[in-house]
Amino acid sequence: MEIINWGGAVIAVVGSMTTLAAIWIRARWRAQAEKARGDSLIAIAESLPTGGRLRDQRADGSCVTLTVPGGRRG
């Protein structure tokens, strides 16, 4: 008959659940921040005049550039 160390099992389960909860909270926070940033960029882009340009650079060095075309070519 095996002796089960319930204290260690409980600590392992609680530790795993805490880690999982922390990852979920961070992912949710990041998704909300990205949505807010996207909404801001959309609002700014919609207000750009013809021929206007928007460049958004992130802290990680990546950037998005949007240029509103000016007039028709032909």
Side-chain angles (χ1 to χ4, degrees):
M1 189 170 182
E2 281 187 45
I3 298 174
I4 298 174
N5 184 356
W6 289 104
V10 169
I11 289 172
V13 169
V14 170
S16 296
M17 289 177 64
T18 302
T19 302
L20 183 61
I23 292 170
W24 182 81
I25 289 169
R26 177 156 170 92
R28 184 171 167 92
W29 175 81
R30 184 164 182 159
Q32 288 176 344
E34 288 293 323
K35 183 178 180 335
R37 184 182 191 119
D39 291 346
S40 297
L41 288 174
I42 289 170
I44 293 168
E46 288 175 344
S47 68
L48 285 175
T50 301
R53 185 173 174 168
L54 169 68
R55 183 168 192 244
D56 178 49
Q57 185 158 2
R58 296 178 177 212
D60 66 359
S62 64
C63 69
V64 174
T65 303
L66 172 70
T67 303
V68 178
R72 293 184 179 184
R73 292 185 181 191

Tab-separated table of all heavy atoms in Angstrom, residues 32-49 53-58 62-68:
chain	number	residue	atom	x	y	z
A	32	GLN	N	-6.978	42.963	-24.601
A	32	GLN	CA	-7.724	44.210	-24.431
A	32	GLN	C	-6.877	45.416	-24.834
A	32	GLN	O	-7.376	46.361	-25.460
A	32	GLN	CB	-8.198	44.358	-22.987
A	32	GLN	CG	-9.322	43.412	-22.641
A	32	GLN	CD	-9.724	43.480	-21.180
A	32	GLN	OE1	-8.995	44.019	-20.340
A	32	GLN	NE2	-10.884	42.925	-20.865
A	33	ALA	N	-5.600	45.389	-24.502
A	33	ALA	CA	-4.710	46.491	-24.879
A	33	ALA	C	-4.557	46.571	-26.397
A	33	ALA	O	-4.570	47.667	-26.975
A	33	ALA	CB	-3.342	46.315	-24.213
A	34	GLU	N	-4.428	45.421	-27.060
A	34	GLU	CA	-4.317	45.398	-28.519
A	34	GLU	C	-5.603	45.890	-29.183
A	34	GLU	O	-5.556	46.593	-30.184
A	34	GLU	CB	-3.986	43.987	-29.011
A	34	GLU	CG	-2.576	43.555	-28.722
A	34	GLU	CD	-1.539	44.346	-29.509
A	34	GLU	OE1	-1.787	44.695	-30.670
A	34	GLU	OE2	-0.474	44.622	-28.931
A	35	LYS	N	-6.748	45.540	-28.606
A	35	LYS	CA	-8.026	46.010	-29.153
A	35	LYS	C	-8.128	47.526	-29.020
A	35	LYS	O	-8.531	48.214	-29.959
A	35	LYS	CB	-9.201	45.344	-28.463
A	35	LYS	CG	-10.534	45.767	-29.077
A	35	LYS	CD	-11.695	45.085	-28.427
A	35	LYS	CE	-13.029	45.468	-29.000
A	35	LYS	NZ	-13.175	46.739	-29.641
A	36	ALA	N	-7.750	48.058	-27.872
A	36	ALA	CA	-7.798	49.508	-27.672
A	36	ALA	C	-6.851	50.216	-28.640
A	36	ALA	O	-7.199	51.247	-29.221
A	36	ALA	CB	-7.438	49.849	-26.228
A	37	ARG	N	-5.679	49.647	-28.837
A	37	ARG	CA	-4.719	50.243	-29.774
A	37	ARG	C	-5.263	50.202	-31.195
A	37	ARG	O	-5.163	51.171	-31.953
A	37	ARG	CB	-3.393	49.498	-29.694
A	37	ARG	CG	-2.328	50.103	-30.547
A	37	ARG	CD	-1.043	49.281	-30.462
A	37	ARG	NE	0.032	50.013	-31.078
A	37	ARG	CZ	1.121	50.409	-30.468
A	37	ARG	NH1	1.292	50.126	-29.204
A	37	ARG	NH2	2.051	51.066	-31.116
A	38	GLY	N	-5.846	49.076	-31.568
A	38	GLY	CA	-6.435	48.948	-32.901
A	38	GLY	C	-7.577	49.924	-33.117
A	38	GLY	O	-7.687	50.539	-34.184
A	39	ASP	N	-8.433	50.073	-32.113
A	39	ASP	CA	-9.546	51.024	-32.208
A	39	ASP	C	-9.028	52.446	-32.388
A	39	ASP	O	-9.580	53.224	-33.169
A	39	ASP	CB	-10.439	50.940	-30.969
A	39	ASP	CG	-11.220	49.637	-30.878
A	39	ASP	OD1	-11.289	48.913	-31.901
A	39	ASP	OD2	-11.748	49.341	-29.794
A	40	SER	N	-7.967	52.792	-31.674
A	40	SER	CA	-7.374	54.127	-31.804
A	40	SER	C	-6.809	54.338	-33.208
A	40	SER	O	-7.010	55.398	-33.811
A	40	SER	CB	-6.256	54.329	-30.786
A	40	SER	OG	-6.752	54.260	-29.485
A	41	LEU	N	-6.114	53.335	-33.727
A	41	LEU	CA	-5.542	53.450	-35.069
A	41	LEU	C	-6.630	53.588	-36.130
A	41	LEU	O	-6.496	54.371	-37.075
A	41	LEU	CB	-4.655	52.252	-35.385
A	41	LEU	CG	-3.328	52.195	-34.654
A	41	LEU	CD1	-2.617	50.882	-34.963
A	41	LEU	CD2	-2.464	53.371	-35.024
A	42	ILE	N	-7.718	52.859	-35.966
A	42	ILE	CA	-8.830	52.959	-36.912
A	42	ILE	C	-9.431	54.357	-36.876
A	42	ILE	O	-9.685	54.961	-37.926
A	42	ILE	CB	-9.897	51.883	-36.622
A	42	ILE	CG1	-9.369	50.505	-37.008
A	42	ILE	CG2	-11.190	52.184	-37.376
A	42	ILE	CD1	-10.224	49.352	-36.550
A	43	ALA	N	-9.641	54.892	-35.676
A	43	ALA	CA	-10.212	56.237	-35.552
A	43	ALA	C	-9.296	57.280	-36.186
A	43	ALA	O	-9.763	58.186	-36.894
A	43	ALA	CB	-10.466	56.573	-34.085
A	44	ILE	N	-8.004	57.149	-35.964
A	44	ILE	CA	-7.052	58.097	-36.550
A	44	ILE	C	-7.023	57.944	-38.068
A	44	ILE	O	-7.039	58.934	-38.810
A	44	ILE	CB	-5.641	57.901	-35.956
A	44	ILE	CG1	-5.641	58.292	-34.480
A	44	ILE	CG2	-4.608	58.695	-36.731
A	44	ILE	CD1	-4.389	57.881	-33.729
A	45	ALA	N	-6.994	56.711	-38.554
A	45	ALA	CA	-6.930	56.467	-39.997
A	45	ALA	C	-8.175	57.007	-40.702
A	45	ALA	O	-8.076	57.545	-41.807
A	45	ALA	CB	-6.780	54.974	-40.267
A	46	GLU	N	-9.329	56.869	-40.065
A	46	GLU	CA	-10.558	57.377	-40.671
A	46	GLU	C	-10.570	58.898	-40.764
A	46	GLU	O	-11.253	59.459	-41.609
A	46	GLU	CB	-11.774	56.889	-39.892
A	46	GLU	CG	-12.055	55.411	-40.095
A	46	GLU	CD	-13.192	54.885	-39.234
A	46	GLU	OE1	-13.572	55.573	-38.258
A	46	GLU	OE2	-13.686	53.797	-39.535
A	47	SER	N	-9.815	59.564	-39.913
A	47	SER	CA	-9.801	61.024	-39.927
A	47	SER	C	-8.692	61.605	-40.814
A	47	SER	O	-8.612	62.814	-40.973
A	47	SER	CB	-9.653	61.562	-38.502
A	47	SER	OG	-8.370	61.264	-37.995
A	48	LEU	N	-7.869	60.740	-41.389
A	48	LEU	CA	-6.788	61.231	-42.248
A	48	LEU	C	-7.353	61.817	-43.538
A	48	LEU	O	-8.269	61.263	-44.136
A	48	LEU	CB	-5.831	60.094	-42.616
A	48	LEU	CG	-4.866	59.626	-41.550
A	48	LEU	CD1	-4.099	58.414	-42.057
A	48	LEU	CD2	-3.907	60.720	-41.159
A	49	PRO	N	-6.784	62.912	-43.997
A	49	PRO	CA	-7.204	63.471	-45.281
A	49	PRO	C	-6.613	62.649	-46.428
A	49	PRO	O	-5.706	61.850	-46.235
A	49	PRO	CB	-6.604	64.877	-45.263
A	49	PRO	CG	-5.398	64.750	-44.390
A	49	PRO	CD	-5.765	63.732	-43.347
A	53	ARG	N	-0.822	60.267	-44.133
A	53	ARG	CA	-0.002	59.108	-43.791
A	53	ARG	C	0.034	58.933	-42.279
A	53	ARG	O	0.141	59.905	-41.538
A	53	ARG	CB	1.405	59.317	-44.320
A	53	ARG	CG	2.301	58.144	-44.133
A	53	ARG	CD	3.605	58.403	-44.831
A	53	ARG	NE	4.514	57.317	-44.521
A	53	ARG	CZ	5.636	57.097	-45.133
A	53	ARG	NH1	6.006	57.893	-46.115
A	53	ARG	NH2	6.408	56.105	-44.803
A	54	LEU	N	-0.045	57.685	-41.842
A	54	LEU	CA	-0.008	57.343	-40.419
A	54	LEU	C	1.055	56.278	-40.221
A	54	LEU	O	1.095	55.282	-40.940
A	54	LEU	CB	-1.368	56.807	-39.962
A	54	LEU	CG	-1.438	56.175	-38.575
A	54	LEU	CD1	-1.233	57.243	-37.514
A	54	LEU	CD2	-2.758	55.480	-38.375
A	55	ARG	N	1.935	56.489	-39.255
A	55	ARG	CA	2.958	55.494	-38.932
A	55	ARG	C	2.902	55.237	-37.437
A	55	ARG	O	3.045	56.145	-36.631
A	55	ARG	CB	4.342	55.996	-39.317
A	55	ARG	CG	5.418	54.955	-39.070
A	55	ARG	CD	6.713	55.372	-39.738
A	55	ARG	NE	7.644	54.259	-39.730
A	55	ARG	CZ	8.799	54.291	-39.074
A	55	ARG	NH1	9.163	55.359	-38.418
A	55	ARG	NH2	9.584	53.247	-39.105
A	56	ASP	N	2.689	53.980	-37.080
A	56	ASP	CA	2.614	53.583	-35.674
A	56	ASP	C	3.778	52.652	-35.386
A	56	ASP	O	3.880	51.582	-35.964
A	56	ASP	CB	1.285	52.871	-35.401
A	56	ASP	CG	1.175	52.393	-33.971
A	56	ASP	OD1	1.448	53.201	-33.060
A	56	ASP	OD2	0.825	51.216	-33.763
A	57	GLN	N	4.666	53.077	-34.488
A	57	GLN	CA	5.816	52.254	-34.135
A	57	GLN	C	5.655	51.755	-32.710
A	57	GLN	O	5.359	52.520	-31.795
A	57	GLN	CB	7.119	53.027	-34.270
A	57	GLN	CG	8.311	52.136	-34.033
A	57	GLN	CD	9.568	52.694	-34.652
A	57	GLN	OE1	9.562	53.762	-35.236
A	57	GLN	NE2	10.655	51.962	-34.531
A	58	ARG	N	5.862	50.475	-32.525
A	58	ARG	CA	5.717	49.841	-31.216
A	58	ARG	C	7.050	49.815	-30.485
A	58	ARG	O	8.102	50.043	-31.075
A	58	ARG	CB	5.202	48.421	-31.377
A	58	ARG	CG	3.840	48.395	-31.976
A	58	ARG	CD	3.383	46.984	-32.155
A	58	ARG	NE	2.025	46.994	-32.662
A	58	ARG	CZ	1.146	46.070	-32.375
A	58	ARG	NH1	1.472	45.050	-31.633
A	58	ARG	NH2	-0.068	46.147	-32.850
A	62	SER	N	8.641	47.073	-34.220
A	62	SER	CA	7.784	46.866	-35.383
A	62	SER	C	6.931	48.104	-35.627
A	62	SER	O	6.678	48.886	-34.711
A	62	SER	CB	6.892	45.639	-35.174
A	62	SER	OG	6.013	45.842	-34.094
A	63	CYS	N	6.519	48.291	-36.859
A	63	CYS	CA	5.697	49.458	-37.160
A	63	CYS	C	4.683	49.143	-38.249
A	63	CYS	O	4.842	48.212	-39.020
A	63	CYS	CB	6.547	50.658	-37.544
A	63	CYS	SG	7.384	50.489	-39.112
A	64	VAL	N	3.634	49.953	-38.272
A	64	VAL	CA	2.593	49.869	-39.279
A	64	VAL	C	2.514	51.242	-39.926
A	64	VAL	O	2.455	52.255	-39.240
A	64	VAL	CB	1.227	49.511	-38.643
A	64	VAL	CG1	0.126	49.576	-39.670
A	64	VAL	CG2	1.282	48.160	-37.984
A	65	THR	N	2.533	51.280	-41.256
A	65	THR	CA	2.411	52.544	-41.978
A	65	THR	C	1.186	52.458	-42.885
A	65	THR	O	1.026	51.497	-43.628
A	65	THR	CB	3.664	52.815	-42.829
A	65	THR	OG1	4.805	52.811	-41.975
A	65	THR	CG2	3.563	54.150	-43.533
A	66	LEU	N	0.346	53.474	-42.809
A	66	LEU	CA	-0.865	53.539	-43.612
A	66	LEU	C	-0.842	54.841	-44.390
A	66	LEU	O	-0.669	55.913	-43.813
A	66	LEU	CB	-2.106	53.489	-42.719
A	66	LEU	CG	-3.435	53.731	-43.400
A	66	LEU	CD1	-3.769	52.546	-44.291
A	66	LEU	CD2	-4.523	53.961	-42.376
A	67	THR	N	-0.988	54.750	-45.693
A	67	THR	CA	-1.060	55.925	-46.540
A	67	THR	C	-2.405	55.935	-47.237
A	67	THR	O	-2.783	54.950	-47.875
A	67	THR	CB	0.067	55.922	-47.593
A	67	THR	OG1	1.320	55.836	-46.910
A	67	THR	CG2	0.045	57.178	-48.427
A	68	VAL	N	-3.133	57.036	-47.119
A	68	VAL	CA	-4.422	57.171	-47.787
A	68	VAL	C	-4.143	57.678	-49.197
A	68	VAL	O	-3.540	58.735	-49.372
A	68	VAL	CB	-5.339	58.161	-47.024
A	68	VAL	CG1	-6.654	58.318	-47.757
A	68	VAL	CG2	-5.552	57.698	-45.602
